[in-house]
Amino acid sequence: MKAVSIALLACVIVTACASTGWPSKTDPSVISGTPDHFLVFDAASGALSEPAGPDCRNPMTDPRDGTRLTLIRSKAGFGDYQTTTPKYGLTGDQLLRIDCRDGRPVGATQGAS
């Protein structure tokens, strides 16, 4: 129970930070090896679900291998997510932009400043 509470608190804190600056430029040519779409991970139950609606959910996960992505910022139905290790062709200072309505990757963008 304590672990679930800590996980939920971490999600709230990260989501609260998700409104920092918004770079409009993305580069789809940089990303590679992404799934067709990412799924929503429910930290409380461990369940995976399809994204729905314009709200960006946190965390998202790669359904192929369980890689978790943490929401850093969001705007207008798009979220910029960070992986714990460099993946999907991203460098250490890049985030993966995902269309929150369907979980599809959009491209790489600059990290939070």
Side-chain angles (χ1 to χ4, degrees), residues 26-110:
T26 60
D27 186 355
S29 70
V30 172
I31 60 173
S32 62
T34 59
D36 290 334
H37 72 284
F38 291 89
L39 298 175
V40 176
F41 177 74
D42 183 333
S45 68
L48 298 177
S49 62
E50 294 289 331
D55 294 336
C56 294
R57 307 283 300 278
N58 188 42
M60 296 289 276
T61 190
D62 185 331
R64 302 169 305 174
D65 63 9
T67 297
R68 297 245 174 87
L69 294 93
T70 303
L71 181 65
I72 302 301
R73 59 186 172 228
S74 64
K75 183 176 181 181
F78 292 90
D80 291 347
Y81 289 83
Q82 183 176 41
T83 59
T84 54
T85 59
K87 195 169 181 171
Y88 309 123
L90 302 172
T91 62
D93 66 338
Q94 292 178 316
L95 301 173
L96 180 63
R97 183 156 297 164
I98 295 176
D99 184 332
C100 296
R101 294 170 288 245
D102 57 16
R104 296 195 186 282
V106 175
T109 190
Q110 290 302 312

